[in-house]
Amino acid sequence: MYDRPRPNQTQPAMTFDRMLERVRHEGAYPTRERAEEAVRAVLAALGRQVTADERVDLAQALPVEAALALTAQIPDAEPLTGWGFVKDLAARTGTSPAVARWDTGAVLAVVARLAGLGLLARILHRLPDGYALLFGQAQLRRPEPAAA
């Protein structure tokens, strides 16, 4: 019973090796190992930010190894802004904010393609400002409530 796939479970559209090659190309990394370091670090950081159904749906859209890196993290109680995400990643990886921003952009551009526009829109709606740019999307202003 447990070895059967769930009815609505989808298989990732890409293998982990293929994902690493895409990230390697996107980030112009010299080796596959460097691309894998970036993937694991950025997905772990993202796993601390994404919650609820969006977390589950994103994990299903990713290759298994990537999904495990994402879901192994406990979400933070207080979500970070996009810039806070980059600074936190830099501190955790011992790199500069510029390197962390580069890694984030390379990995999340591939994640955005795997997630698709609908899921990506849901994820961005739940996250604080600044994440759209990290995913390679335009940062649109959220409408302000009308003054009463």
Side-chain angles (χ1 to χ4, degrees), residues 24-138:
R24 182 177 177 193
H25 176 75
E26 188 78 32
Y29 296 115
T31 65
R32 180 186 182 281
E33 291 74 24
R34 178 61 185 98
E36 186 170 353
E37 287 174 18
V39 166
R40 291 189 185 280
V42 171
L43 288 178
L46 187 62
R48 290 188 287 277
Q49 302 303 310
V50 178
T51 60
D53 290 340
E54 289 75 21
R55 180 182 173 95
V56 173
D57 293 346
L58 180 57
Q60 287 182 340
L62 297 173
V64 172
E65 298 88 337
L68 290 173
L70 176 85
T71 58
Q73 303 301 310
I74 297 171
D76 288 342
E78 197 65 34
L80 300 170
T81 64
W83 178 235
F85 177 90
V86 171
K87 290 191 305 188
D88 181 65
L89 180 61
R92 289 175 186 266
T93 59
T95 61
S96 69
V99 170
R101 174 61 182 94
W102 184 270
D103 289 349
T104 299
V107 173
L108 294 186
V110 175
V111 169
R113 285 186 226 123
L114 287 170
L117 293 177
L119 176 55
L120 183 57
R122 289 177 30 222
I123 291 169
L124 292 175
H125 182 72
R126 283 192 167 269
L127 291 171
D129 285 341
Y131 281 88
L133 294 173
L134 299 178
F135 279 96
Q137 305 293 307

